[in-house]
Amino acid sequence: MDSLTQIVLGAAVGEAVLGKKVGNKAILWGAIAGTIPDLDVLSKYFVDNVTANEVHRGFSHSILFCILVSPILGYLIAKMYKSKEANWKDWTKLFFWGLFTHPILDAFTTWGTQLFWPFEYKVSFKNIFVVDPLYTVPFLIFLISAMFYKRTNPKRKKLNKLGLYVSSIYLIITLGIKWYTYTVFRSSLKNQNIAYKEIQTKPTPLNSILWTANIETDDSFLIGYYSLFDKSDAINFVAFPKNHHLLGKMKNTPLISRLAKLTEGWYTIEKSTAGRLFFNDLRFGQLGINEKANRFVFSYEIFYDDNGNLQAVESEKEINEAAPMLKNLFSRVLGK
C-alpha cells in the first residue's frame, strides 16, 4: 500500500499493542515500524531499474525479516526510554506487529509480497489498489480521534479498535467484490466465445468500484473494464498482441528472462515507429482507462548500449498526464 496507509496502519497497531502503557509513543513508533519494510525502495539509487523492482517487497516484507529485526529495534527503544512502563519484550511485540502487518496488507495488492522469503513465491490477492481512500481515510479519522484521549481512557482503545475493524471489514468486502466482478468478466468472455488461458482481475486506482481484467490468449492479451454501476454486463475487450517474436535473439538473454519472471509472463513487446523496442509489464495496467489507452504503467525500453550490453530502462511517467487520467477514471467509475 502507499506510505500514508502503512503509517496509519502501523500507528493503529502500535496503539493496540502498547498504547495503554506508553500512550502516543506507541502510535509514533508503530507508524515508524509501518514504514520500515518499504525502505527497500532506496535500492533504486544503487542498482538498475530491473534489480530494484526485483528487490521491492522481497526480504524486507518477509516473516523472517519481522522476526529478526523486531527484537533489535525493541531492544534499542527500550534502552532509549529506560522506562518501567514498557520493557524490551513490550517494544519487541510492538515492532513485530508493526512490521508484520505491513506485508500482510501489501499481500492484498497487485504487486504482492514475498512473505515466505527466501522462497520466491509472492502472495498477491489483487483485491485492493495501493491507494484507496475508502480504506485509509476512515482509519485515519478514528486514529486521530483516539489520540485526543488519555492513554488510560477506554474511549481511546475503543476508537482505535473501530478503525481497525472498519478497515478490515472493507478489505473483506473488496474480496467479495473481486469475486463478483470476476464472474462478470468470465461470463462476458463466454458470451463472446473468447477462448483464453488465464484471467487476472484487479481494481483500478483509488477505488473498488471499477475493475479491470487481464486475459491471456494464445497470441495476445485482452484488457477489459467493468464498473459496478455499468448498466450492462457486456464488456468490450481490447487486444494487445504479445509480439514476443520481436525480441529475436534477445529472448534468450538473462535480462529478458529476469523481466519475464518479474512480470510472471504478463508482458508484451512493442516496437515504436522510430524502431525503439519496449517491454510492457501488464500487471499494473494502463496509463488511462479508455479504449485508446495504449501505454502501460510499467514499461522498459530495451536496447544495446555502446558497449554491446543489453539494457532495460524504465520509461518515465509524465506528471501532466495525471489530471486527464483521473478525470477519465472518475467518469468510467460512474458506469456506462
Side-chain angles (χ1 to χ4, degrees):
M1 295 292 283
D2 67 295
S3 298
L4 176 60
T5 301
Q6 294 292 7
I7 288 172
V8 174
L9 175 60
V13 169
E15 169 63 25
V17 172
L18 210 55
K20 193 172 182 179
K21 287 187 175 182
V22 299
N24 288 339
K25 291 177 186 176
I27 291 178
L28 170 64
W29 289 107
I32 291 172
T35 64
I36 289 174
D38 274 346
L39 291 179
D40 61 4
V41 299
L42 297 177
S43 64
K44 66 183 179 182
Y45 297 109
F46 306 99
V47 296
D48 60 87
N49 299 143
V50 178
T51 303
N53 285 333
E54 288 173 327
V55 169
H56 186 45
R57 294 194 181 179
F59 172 63
S60 68
H61 286 64
S62 67
I63 297 173
L64 180 61
F65 178 83
C66 300
I67 293 173
L68 294 175
V69 173
S70 54
I72 298 171
L73 294 175
Y75 174 80
L76 292 174
I77 301 305
K79 281 290 185 182
M80 184 175 76
Y81 286 123
K82 296 180 180 178
S83 171
K84 295 180 179 179
E85 295 173 332
N87 57 30
W88 167 69
K89 289 184 178 179
D90 293 326
W91 286 110
T92 296
K93 186 178 178 181
L94 179 146
F95 276 104
F96 175 81
W97 288 109
L99 293 169
F100 183 59
T101 51
H102 179 124
I104 289 296
L105 181 57
D106 278 346
F108 290 93
T109 66
T110 300
W111 195 291
T113 180
Q114 237 175 306
L115 265 178
F116 305 107
W117 188 95
F119 298 104
E120 295 181 350
Y121 174 72
K122 282 190 175 183
V123 182
S124 179
F125 298 111
K126 300 179 177 66
N127 62 294
I128 192 167
F129 191 71
V130 292
V131 182
D132 190 332
L134 283 180
Y135 178 88
T136 307
V137 173
F139 210 167
L140 183 60
I141 291 172
F142 281 114
L143 179 64
I144 293 175
S145 299
M147 291 173 65
F148 285 100
Y149 293 93
K150 293 182 179 180
R151 60 187 175 88
T152 54
N153 193 316
K155 288 185 178 180
R156 181 181 175 111
K157 183 178 181 180
K158 184 178 180 180
L159 285 167
N160 190 59
K161 275 189 174 181
L162 277 172
L164 289 167
Y165 289 154
V166 169
S167 60
S168 298
I169 289 170
Y170 176 71
L171 206 57
I172 293 170
I173 289 173
T174 61
L175 284 170
I177 297 173
K178 178 181 175 68
W179 173 249
Y180 170 71
T181 54
Y182 173 77
T183 61
V184 173
F185 282 116
R186 284 190 60 188
S187 296
S188 188
L189 288 165
K190 183 178 180 181
N191 293 337
Q192 297 179 53
N193 295 314
I194 298 175
Y196 63 94
K197 292 181 175 180
E198 190 176 352
I199 177 173
Q200 288 189 351
T201 62
K202 56 186 179 293
T204 56
L206 307 173
N207 76 102
S208 58
I209 302 298
L210 177 63
W211 289 68
T212 181
N214 285 352
I215 298 101
E216 182 183 9
T217 66
D218 288 331
D219 56 3
S220 64
F221 290 102
L222 310 179
I223 295 179
Y225 294 91
Y226 175 73
S227 170
L228 297 181
F229 295 136
D230 281 353
K231 295 179 180 178
S232 170
D233 289 349
I235 297 169
N236 182 41
F237 296 100
V238 178
F240 294 87
K242 291 181 178 178
N243 287 334
H244 293 177
H245 66 278
L246 293 177
L247 287 169
K249 294 180 180 179
M250 293 180 186
K251 190 171 183 178
N252 299 319
T253 61
L255 179 60
I256 299 300
S257 296
R258 289 168 60 199
L259 282 170
K261 183 178 179 181
L262 182 65
T263 62
E264 300 171 355
W266 293 88
Y267 70 93
T268 64
I269 303 300
E270 178 186 352
K271 194 171 187 178
S272 71
T273 52
R276 297 163 68 191
L277 209 60
F278 293 89
F279 187 108
N280 298 319
D281 185 342
L282 271 63
R283 294 173 302 156
F284 306 101
Q286 303 164 278
L287 287 168
I289 52 90
N290 56 42
E291 294 177 4
K292 294 181 180 180
N294 57 9
R295 291 181 60 201
F296 293 88
V297 174
F298 281 94
S299 182
Y300 304 84
E301 183 179 359
I302 305 168
F303 60 93
Y304 284 101
D305 62 20
D306 295 337
N307 297 319
N309 298 316
L310 187 62
Q311 303 289 340
V313 177
E314 189 176 327
S315 302
E316 293 185 4
K317 289 85 174 172
E318 298 293 336
I319 297 177
N320 58 3
E321 294 178 331
M325 283 193 296
L326 288 174
K327 183 179 179 180
N328 290 334
L329 172 66
F330 181 71
S331 177
R332 187 62 186 86
V333 165
L334 296 178
K336 65 175 183 179

